[in-house]
Structures are given as C-alpha cells and as structure tokens.
Amino acid sequence: CLHPHCPRRPSLVPAAAALFTKPPMPSFRRELLFSLVIGALCALLFFVDIAGVPQAPSGIRSRALVTAVDNSQVRTHLIVKTNLQQLQVRLLSGPHKGREIQVVNMLTGKLEVDEWYEPGTTILVEYAAPDGTPKNAVARGAHRLGLQLFLAVLFALLLVAVAGVTGLKAGLSFVFAALVLWRLFFPLLLRGYPPIPTGLGIVTLLTAVICFSVGGLTRRGLTTFLGSLLGLLLTCGLATLFTQLFRLHGAVRPFAEMLLYSGYPHLNLTDIFTASVFIACSGAVMDLAMDIAATMDEIKHRHPGIGRLEHMRSGLRVGRVVTGTMTTTLLLAYSGSHITMFMVFIAKGLAPANLLNAPFVSAEVLNILVGSFGVIAVAPCTVLIAALLYDTRGGGQVRPAVEGES
C-alpha cells in the first residue's frame, strides 16, 4: 500500500539503508573493489597537472656533506646574518657522487628561511652540469628527505599494526586526501575557481572517501558521511557569515600577500580564508561522526530490538561525553601553531582588548569557535541519522555483524 497513512506502507529511510545492508557481493570483495578504485584514483591524481604552471628552472639535486666553511663574507647584525656563506661539500649521491665542489649558501636575514651550516652537516645541494662538470651549486637546506620518508614508513607500519586492514584503508585515504589537496584543490584555486563552492566540493569528496574507507560501504559509513556533511555545511555557513562580520581579509594567512605578487592578483583571498576554516575542522568533524556512528552501530548490534528513541538517547549520552573533550581539540591545535605570535603580543604588554581585536588573533578566534560549532553540531546530527538508518520497522533486518561490516 502506498497511502501516506497506511501502516503497511514501506519506510523510505530503512529502504535506503537496505542498499548498504544487502550488498550484491560479499563484504570483502566490495571493500577490496572500493580500495582498488581509490588506489587507481591516487595513481591518476599523481600524474594530473591542472594548474598548467611551467616548472621553475632546476638542476641536479644531490645529498652532500659539508667538509669546510668560509664565513668571511657573512655580515652579522646582532642575531641576523646576511650575504654569502661559502661551503666546501662532498657529493654523496647523484651522477657526480664523491666529487668535491663549492656551494653558496644565501643568507637573507630572515631567520625563518635562512640556515647556518657547520662542517659535518648533511645538506641538499642543487647544481648545474652543462658540460658534465658541477657548477653554480646552491644549498637548499639541511637534508631532511630521508627522515621524512622514515617517519612516513613508521607511521604506516604503526597504523597497520594498530588498526589492521582498517589501518590500510585509512592510510590509503590519507594519501588520497593529500593528493586531492595538492593536485586538485590548490591548482583549481590558482586557476580562479570560486574557493567556497570548490572547497565544499573537495571536502565532500574527501569526507565520502575517508568515511567509506574507514567505516566501510555500510550503514556505519553512510551515517558518518551524512553526519559529517551536515556539520561541515553548518561550519561553512558560519565561516562565510562571520568572516564578513569580523571584516577579515584573507591576507591574514602566511604567504597570502606573496601569492598576489606572484602573478595571481585576481585571487579572492577572503573566500580562500573562509574555505580554509571549514576544511581545517573537517578532520575533527569526521572523527566525532565516526565515534558516534560506531557507537550507534554497536548498540544496535548488541540490542537489535532497541527502539528508535532509546537508540537516540544512548547515542546522545555518548555524544555529550565525546563532545566535551573535542571542544578543546581545535583550541589546542590552532593555539599550538601560533605560540610565538601570542608570545609577541604578550611581550609587548598589549591590553587584552587590543590583543583579541588584532586581525591575526581574530582570525584564529573565528577558526576555533566556528570550527567548534561544527564539531558540536555533528553529534546530534549523526545520532539522528543513525537512528533513522538503523530503524528496522520498515522491513529491513539487522544482520549478524561480520568483521569490517555493519
């Protein structure tokens, strides 16, 4: 019967949930196929070039050991050093391995970009060799690429050791997110695409891939995705509104002004700042949504006959506890990355009103509070969605739990 008030009329929400509870193929094959698709997209994204920006001229890069230094040309002004530091290095890799060459270390007087070398330091060197002989060698910083690779491998091993197959899928979604931002989102912004709609599209894609990779193509994954999306939409709306009310300009972000001078004066830095607000909090939103969705899934599995309202009450009780700790997550994350900025304001003895009203600080206040709105709102949204999707009164059945499936 399709009459609106007929008790035998099938419920649309459980019917939609049935799509995720009655798969056309076994769970393992379905998850494997999904992972292979994401892996293929990662490989495709690695070779995609949307920006169309010509690569800057570059030479041969090599790891090198500093054997001697000449500081005779360096000019020292208190703690600031400028001019040239001459280095004698031995190449440790590349086509000229073992060769001793002269390298220039340019000192600009900016501590955040300058590096000072002593004999025994391993550095990254870039040089030209038009006739087979290394020339015009420049220091590119202490060599950190090996350590970065070591940390990445250690992170992947720990992720797999702790989370098993789910850890593998989480690692794959991590790589996918990095590639989407680097090869898709940033280039699209450079090409002039509107930052807020583009950011919403990108964060929706990332949320879907991450939620279904970790939560599976199940009701748990669907619940996490929908709950996260609602929280992010709220954050986007609040970020857009309060950025205008705060009268903030996107130039409060580091390197924003340099971007305008690099040939992109058409960019809307304010909209880019707004997009950065809801993208930055998306990880915390997904984290909380997954916690709530997993809890609702476990409750329904252990108590299949639980009613919708009681199911919601149980989820909300857990949500209150989790939200209580998550509210400080963004505060600590943003404050921790701007410690020196706050120290400067305090060291100058600025009044609290002046401190809080400064554009840089106001931007961080907006980041923290608007992002926290999304984190708080995602809990009840996810609980409501889970209660609807796990309701079996429309004829759907709660199947016995299988590893990696709900």
Side-chain angles (χ1 to χ4, degrees):
C1 178
L2 298 179
H3 191 274
H5 303 291
C6 178
R8 292 178 297 162
R9 180 177 180 267
S11 174
L12 295 180
V13 173
L19 296 176
F20 288 81
T21 59
K22 298 177 181 178
M25 62 178 70
S27 175
F28 175 78
R29 289 180 57 194
R30 184 176 53 175
E31 302 294 344
L32 177 62
L33 179 60
F34 183 75
S35 298
L36 289 176
V37 170
I38 299 304
L41 289 175
C42 288
L44 178 64
L45 284 169
F46 188 80
F47 296 101
V48 166
D49 182 16
I50 294 178
V53 177
Q55 290 294 318
S58 63
I60 302 171
R61 294 178 182 83
S62 171
R63 191 165 54 92
L65 177 68
V66 178
T67 57
V69 299
D70 178 7
N71 300 326
S72 60
Q73 300 183 55
V74 177
R75 298 177 181 177
T76 304
H77 310 275
L78 298 177
I79 62 174
V80 176
K81 295 180 175 65
T82 58
N83 214 8
L84 302 178
Q85 183 187 34
Q86 299 287 346
L87 310 174
Q88 181 77 19
V89 306
R90 183 172 66 252
L91 300 179
L92 302 177
S93 62
H96 302 93
K97 181 179 179 180
R99 295 280 294 272
E100 294 268 349
I101 64 173
Q102 293 287 331
V103 176
V104 173
N105 177 29
M106 301 291 297
L107 300 172
T108 64
K110 296 182 178 180
L111 296 178
E112 66 267 26
V113 296
D114 289 344
E115 295 192 35
W116 183 258
Y117 306 118
E118 299 289 347
T121 306
T122 303
I123 65 174
L124 178 66
V125 172
E126 184 176 352
Y127 60 91
D131 55 359
T133 303
K135 297 179 181 178
N136 304 322
V138 179
R140 296 302 187 190
H143 192 274
R144 307 176 180 92
L145 300 179
L147 284 174
Q148 291 177 5
L149 179 61
F150 171 75
L151 277 178
V153 172
L154 186 63
F155 166 73
L157 292 176
L158 182 62
L159 189 61
V160 174
V162 172
V165 176
T166 301
L168 280 174
K169 294 189 292 183
L172 186 61
S173 63
F174 181 92
V175 173
F176 179 78
L179 287 172
V180 165
L181 292 175
W182 173 41
R183 307 295 288 181
L184 192 60
F185 181 51
F186 304 149
L188 286 176
L189 295 184
L190 286 176
R191 292 180 67 90
Y193 281 73
I196 296 177
T198 304
L200 273 177
I202 291 294
V203 82
T204 300
L205 172 64
L206 293 179
T207 302
V209 170
I210 294 170
C211 292
F212 289 121
S213 292
V214 178
L217 294 171
T218 61
R219 286 178 296 184
R220 181 176 58 193
L222 180 61
T223 300
T224 307
F225 169 68
L226 295 177
S228 300
L229 195 57
L230 287 177
L232 290 172
L233 288 174
L234 173 63
T235 306
C236 175
L238 291 175
T240 303
L241 173 63
F242 282 98
T243 297
Q244 295 176 358
L245 294 178
F246 276 32
R247 300 181 65 84
L248 290 175
H249 191 276
V252 295
R253 291 299 193 203
F255 298 101
E257 190 172 354
M258 183 184 297
L259 185 60
L260 297 179
Y261 299 147
S262 300
Y264 297 92
H266 61 280
L267 295 180
N268 190 329
L269 296 181
T270 303
D271 282 357
I272 293 176
F273 168 78
T274 303
S276 72
V277 173
F278 61 81
I279 290 176
C281 75
S282 60
V285 168
M286 282 185 277
D287 182 21
L288 185 56
M290 180 61 74
D291 290 343
I292 302 298
T295 299
M296 297 290 282
D297 176 78
E298 184 66 16
I299 292 173
K300 193 65 175 181
H301 171 61
R302 297 298 178 185
H303 305 281
I306 190 171
R308 180 187 292 176
L309 290 179
E310 186 57 35
H311 196 196
M312 290 179 62
R313 292 192 190 98
S314 300
L316 286 172
R317 281 193 287 268
V318 174
R320 292 190 189 101
V321 176
V322 178
T323 303
T325 57
M326 287 294 291
T327 50
T328 58
T329 299
L330 296 180
L331 170 64
L332 296 176
Y334 291 127
S335 300
S337 61
H338 292 84
I339 290 176
T340 52
M341 180 186 73
F342 290 114
M343 290 176 65
V344 167
F345 287 129
I346 294 174
K348 288 182 175 294
L350 295 180
N354 293 353
L355 173 64
L356 293 174
N357 198 59
F360 290 101
V361 179
S362 296
E364 297 312 314
V365 170
L366 188 147
N367 257 323
I368 295 168
L369 296 181
V370 170
S372 297
F373 268 103
V375 170
I376 295 171
V378 77
C381 291
T382 306
V383 167
L384 177 60
I385 292 169
L388 294 174
L389 291 180
Y390 281 88
D391 183 23
T392 58
R393 289 179 298 174
Q397 298 296 321
V398 178
R399 298 175 292 116
V402 181
E403 180 63 27
E405 183 182 4
S406 296

